[in-house]
């Protein structure tokens, strides 16, 4: 009994304190892990959310290259996101007309569009640089300017007031000069012609005495056939043959001085884009870059067979614009650049960046690409 009265309680007290500490620590861990579980659940629910978007386009549904390029992008996004973001591609006229794409995406009535920036020069003249301008960059140079030369930042700046985020969506490469039913031997031969030729080139064509109009691709055949227009440019041999222009025009002119490396665009409504989790935004950005590369490959792979077929099976006459005509068109192009730069500060800003990059890329390509093309041709076996 005496022994029990003198029992040392110190170890029990220490044990009790330790146990209390463990309990408090455990409670703390549980409360922390509880909040972690909460965050995970929130993230998981965002990751499990699926998004069903609509894309409007300026092209006929599944039109080779342009329409199929939009479909390739939609398929890649679906595959890469495991179906969390699905995009239904609509041809021109299904939801909005070919030239209604910009406004439809800007207003948010649809989430996405696939088109060409130069169609929107009425919104801002600087948009023209993001498709192509006469005597400008080829496809390789455009890609380099956009991704590594500051072009993308300028494009986003130009589109920001319209609540749009743009992405390069594929190049046709250099286009053909267009379809004519009369020979073009001098600049005077352009005078009085009504031609479908969009963008800055249209201004140059007007200066040369013609009348430029912009008509969506799907309406071009009828316009040319019925004499609404006298001449038309669209893209290149593969696309032009698909529309059947060889049935109603005799002369197929080159080079495409007016469109040396036309870049298509993907535009996304900014609010819609911001609603996506970061991983889906990354999927969109990378899927469009892959689809963009694929589009240029497609054109490079298909144009020559179409051109040979147009010449050999359909009897069209392939003609080169005379150097004198090209020289005069170049002179007029420079005048249009200067006038539009003086009239619009954003045009001037983008023009400066574009021109600086083209000058530097041109210096390198004079040594590399240009020389090699000449050498390859001149040394070819007979
Ligand atoms: Ca064109």
């Amino acid at each position: 009994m005496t022994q029990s009265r003198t029992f040392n309680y110190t170890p029990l007290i220490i044990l009790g304190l330790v146990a209390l500490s463990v309990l408090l620590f455990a409670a703390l861990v549980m409360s922390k892990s509880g909040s972690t579980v909460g965050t995970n659940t929130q993230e998981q629910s965002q990751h499990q959310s699926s998004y069903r978007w609509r894309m409007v386009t300026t092209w006929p549904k599944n039109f080779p290259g342009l329409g199929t390029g939009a479909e390739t992008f939609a398929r890649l996004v679906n595959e890469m996101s495991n179906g969390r973001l699905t995009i239904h591609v609509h041809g021109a006229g299904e939801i909005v007309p070919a030239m209604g794409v910009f406004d439809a995406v800007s207003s948010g009535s649809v989430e996405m569009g696939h088109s060409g920036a130069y169609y929107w020069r009425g919104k801002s003249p600087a948009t023209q640089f993001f498709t192509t301008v006469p005597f400008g960059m080829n496809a390789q140079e455009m890609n380099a300017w956009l991704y590594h030369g500051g072009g993308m930042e300028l494009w986003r700046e130009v589109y920001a007031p319209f609540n749009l985020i743009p992405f390069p969506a594929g190049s046709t490469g250099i286009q053909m000069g267009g379809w004519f039913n009369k020979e073009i031997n001098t600049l005077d031969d352009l005078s009085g012609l009504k031609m479908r030729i969009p963008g800055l080139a249209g201004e140059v064509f007007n200066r040369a005495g013609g009348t430029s109009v912009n008509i969506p691709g799907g309406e071009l055949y009828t316009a040319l056939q019925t004499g609404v227009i006298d001449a038309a440019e669209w893209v290149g041999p593969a696309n032009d043959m698909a529309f059947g222009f060889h049935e109603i025009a005799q002369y197929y002119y080159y080079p495409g001085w007016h469109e040396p490396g036309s870049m298509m665009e993907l535009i996304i409504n900014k609010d819609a884009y911001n609603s996506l989790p970061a991983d889906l935004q990354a999927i969109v950005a990378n899927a469009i870059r892959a689809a963009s590369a694929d589009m240029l490959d497609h054109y490079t792979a298909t144009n020559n067979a179409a051109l040979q077929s147009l010449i050999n099976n359909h009897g069209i006459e392939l003609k080169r614009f005379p150097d004198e005509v090209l020289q005069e068109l170049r002179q007029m192009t420079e005048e249009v650049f200067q006038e539009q730069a003086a009239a619009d500060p954003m045009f001037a800003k983008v023009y400066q960046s574009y021109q600086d990059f083209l000058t530097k890329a041109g210096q390198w390509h004079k040594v590399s690409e240009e020389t090699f093309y000449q050498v390859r041709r001149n040394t070819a076996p007979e």
Side-chain angles (χ1 to χ4, degrees), residues 118 175 196 198 233-235 258-259 262:
Y118 67 178
Q175 300 199 351
R196 187 272 181 186
E233 74 77 48
W234 174 231
V235 179
H258 65 305
E259 297 205 36
S262 308

Side-chain angles (χ1 to χ4, degrees), residues 282-321:
I283 284 171
V284 165
N286 286 286
I288 195 57
R289 187 148 190 191
S292 178
D294 188 67
M295 189 185 291
L296 181 60
D297 298 346
H298 165 86
Y299 280 106
T300 306
T302 57
N303 269 332
N304 187 58
L307 182 61
Q308 299 312 314
S309 179
L310 286 169
I311 297 167
N312 300 319
N313 304 332
H314 298 288
I316 68 106
E317 287 184 52
L318 181 67
K319 286 193 169 289
R320 188 186 187 284
F321 286 119

Side-chain angles (χ1 to χ4, degrees), residues 238-261:
N239 276 179
D240 292 6
M241 195 165 77
F243 270 152
F245 298 136
H246 53 279
E247 296 163 5
I248 48 175
Q250 182 64 30
Y251 303 114
Y252 198 21
Y253 269 90
Y254 73 100
W257 60 275
H258 65 305
E259 297 205 36

Side-chain angles (χ1 to χ4, degrees), residues 56-350:
V56 289
T57 70
T58 299
W59 332 117
K61 177 85 175 166
N62 279 318
F63 189 74
L66 306 173
T68 55
E71 299 283 355
T72 298
F73 163 70
R75 177 178 56 77
L76 286 175
V77 168
N78 187 36
E79 288 172 3
M80 292 162 88
S81 71
N82 198 24
R84 284 166 52 223
L85 175 54
T86 55
I87 299 161
H88 189 82
V89 180
H90 294 269
E94 284 181 30
I95 297 180
V96 293
M99 297 304 157
V101 169
F102 188 96
D103 285 340
V105 183
S106 177
S107 70
S109 67
V110 294
E111 292 85 3
M112 281 181 158
H114 198 282
S115 189
Y118 67 178
Y119 294 135
W120 323 126
R121 63 193 178 126
K123 306 284 185 188
S124 168
T127 60
Q128 298 170 109
F129 288 103
F130 306 113
T131 305
T132 190
V133 290
F135 302 99
M137 296 187 203
N138 68 12
Q140 191 177 344
E141 292 160 347
M142 270 298 282
N143 275 314
W145 176 58
L146 289 169
Y147 289 116
H148 294 283
M152 272 310 303
E153 290 77 4
L154 288 167
W155 198 350
R156 292 206 169 113
E157 188 179 337
V158 171
Y159 276 33
F162 304 99
N163 206 38
L164 290 172
I165 300 179
F167 292 88
S171 177
T172 63
I174 187 164
Q175 300 199 351
M176 286 291 287
W179 295 89
F180 296 81
N181 274 313
K182 64 180 278 195
E183 290 188 48
I184 307 301
N185 297 315
T186 69
L187 201 69
D188 284 345
D189 291 321
L190 296 179
S191 190
L193 280 188
K194 192 169 182 185
M195 181 173 182
R196 187 272 181 186
I197 177 168
L200 202 105
E203 289 300 313
V204 176
F205 189 76
N206 294 343
R207 190 157 300 218
T211 303
S212 67
V213 292
N214 182 27
I215 296 173
E219 299 165 27
L220 266 181
Y221 184 96
T222 305
L224 191 57
Q225 187 185 35
T226 57
V228 170
I229 51 174
D230 306 304
E233 74 77 48
W234 174 231
V235 179
N239 276 179
D240 292 6
M241 195 165 77
F243 270 152
F245 298 136
H246 53 279
E247 296 163 5
I248 48 175
Q250 182 64 30
Y251 303 114
Y252 198 21
Y253 269 90
Y254 73 100
W257 60 275
H258 65 305
E259 297 205 36
S262 308
M263 179 62 79
M264 303 306 113
E265 68 176 5
L266 169 73
I267 48 177
I268 306 179
N269 179 275
K270 195 176 176 186
D271 300 322
Y273 185 77
N274 288 340
S275 76
L276 293 178
D279 67 327
L280 287 184
Q281 290 179 346
I283 284 171
V284 165
N286 286 286
I288 195 57
R289 187 148 190 191
S292 178
D294 188 67
M295 189 185 291
L296 181 60
D297 298 346
H298 165 86
Y299 280 106
T300 306
T302 57
N303 269 332
N304 187 58
L307 182 61
Q308 299 312 314
S309 179
L310 286 169
I311 297 167
N312 300 319
N313 304 332
H314 298 288
I316 68 106
E317 287 184 52
L318 181 67
K319 286 193 169 289
R320 188 186 187 284
F321 286 119
D323 281 334
E324 269 182 28
V325 171
L326 292 168
Q327 189 62 52
E328 287 173 290
L329 290 169
R330 177 64 184 263
Q331 180 60 39
M332 292 172 188
T333 297
E334 297 305 321
E335 291 166 11
V336 171
F337 277 142
Q338 297 309 325
E339 284 177 16
Q340 298 212 359
D344 186 272
M346 184 56 85
F347 185 100
K349 184 177 178 181
V350 181

